Structures are given as C-alpha cells and as structure tokens.
Amino acid sequence: MEKAAEFPKFECVISNTKEDYDSEIETFFTQLGSVQSDIGLLLLRDKPWEKNYRKFLGYLQDLETAIIFRRGIPESEFLKDLVLKPDSENEMEDEISDVLLRAKDDIPAILVRAQAKTREVGGLYVRMSRIPRFADGFTVERFEGLPNLRKALWRRAVETSKH
C-alpha cells in the first residue's frame, strides 16, 4: 500500500521542532513580516516621518531577535512619545472610513492597514505565549511595545488624513 503524501514541514528555530506551514508560529512571523513591509512602504512615501519608520523597523527586528533567541527586551520607550494622547482619552477619535474618505493619497490607507496588522500580530503573540514550547520567547515584557506601535500608526493615519 502506498503511503499518503504529506506536506513538508519547516524547522522552527524557537522550539527546535518540525512545524507545519499552517502553524501559528509561521502565521505570527508571516504577519510580522507583513507589518514590516507596510512600514517599508511608509518609509518611502511619508518622508516627514522617515526617521520614525526606521525606528519602527529597528524595533520590530529587535522584537523578532528577542523572541527567537529568548533574550533581551526590545527598546520601545520612543513609541510612547509618538502616542500623542493618554490612554484615558478615546483613541478612536475618527472612524476608519472617515480617515480613508478624507485622505488625499494612499499614506493613511497604508497606515490603517499597518495598524490593523499590528493588532493581529499582538493577538497572535498572545496565543504563542500560551503554547508551552514557544512561551519562553513570547513574554509579556517583549509584548509591551506592540500596543504603542499600533497606536502611533493609527494616530499618524488620522493626522495624515487631515492634511
């Protein structure tokens, strides 16, 4: 009898195990790469914020390294300065559709997409923290910058849509 074909697996550097391509760890890093790609687009298109986008990419790279090698906490203090209003205020001062309808170019749309993907990455991060073989890489301390990154991207979307 012939053995049924199986999908190939990849070697996970975090758990040192063979993982399926549809595993949550693969999804997490794919989505993280997608956020980085959007920020790369913004780096080229939103020149007044180029310095911030470079910092965002550095932060995400440091986060990825910290997760994989289970050491260090990426520097994210600079993100707090970009979150203009305290958490107690309504962060959704505009609806997504308002931001997009006001936009004069594609920068607000890319920002909206990047902040939504960042929220998704945060959710995947929390899921990964609950899987014992990945939990050491996905600590609460390493997570702390993601909500502020998302808020900074959202606030920039609102700001750029008003120009």
Side-chain angles (χ1 to χ4, degrees):
M1 184 161 171
E2 210 172 298
K3 183 180 177 186
E6 291 184 21
F7 287 105
K9 296 182 183 273
F10 70 92
E11 185 69 36
C12 177
V13 296
I14 296 175
S15 63
N16 292 318
T17 59
K18 294 277 189 179
E19 295 288 331
D20 292 322
Y21 276 94
D22 67 343
S23 71
E24 288 182 321
I25 193 74
E26 182 74 359
T27 302
F28 172 82
F29 284 111
T30 299
Q31 288 303 322
L32 188 63
S34 187
V35 171
Q36 291 168 314
S37 178
D38 279 349
I39 292 172
L41 282 172
L42 291 162
L43 176 75
L44 299 171
R45 294 184 185 183
D46 188 8
K47 290 298 184 181
W49 255 45
E50 179 180 357
K51 181 178 159 187
N52 292 326
Y53 297 127
R54 288 188 185 282
K55 287 181 180 180
F56 293 174
L57 289 172
Y59 161 74
L60 291 171
Q61 181 179 13
D62 290 348
L63 176 63
E64 186 173 13
T65 300
I67 290 168
I68 291 170
F69 296 107
R70 293 182 224 65
R71 63 176 181 255
I73 298 170
E75 171 55 45
S76 63
E77 241 354 85
F78 72 95
L79 292 167
K80 290 180 182 176
D81 295 335
L82 297 174
V83 178
L84 305 175
K85 296 175 182 153
D87 282 341
S88 61
E89 291 189 32
N90 182 4
E91 76 174 37
M92 294 295 285
E93 59 234 24
D94 290 271
E95 296 290 329
I96 290 173
S97 58
D98 294 333
V99 170
L100 298 175
L101 288 168
R102 253 194 327 256
K104 307 254 188 306
D105 58 29
D106 61 353
I107 292 171
I110 298 168
L111 284 156
V112 167
R113 183 177 61 200
Q115 71 85 29
K117 287 178 184 177
T118 302
R119 183 181 294 257
E120 187 175 351
V121 164
L124 291 167
Y125 186 106
V126 172
R127 280 192 214 156
M128 300 311 312
S129 73
R130 294 178 183 146
I131 299 173
R133 68 184 183 275
F134 301 127
D136 288 348
F138 291 86
T139 64
V140 172
E141 296 80 16
R142 291 186 187 121
F143 176 84
E144 290 176 350
L146 286 173
N148 285 329
L149 175 59
R150 185 195 59 76
K151 288 176 187 177
L153 291 166
W154 172 251
R155 297 249 162 82
R156 183 65 178 161
V158 171
E159 180 182 296
T160 59
S161 75
K162 292 179 178 179
H163 293 113

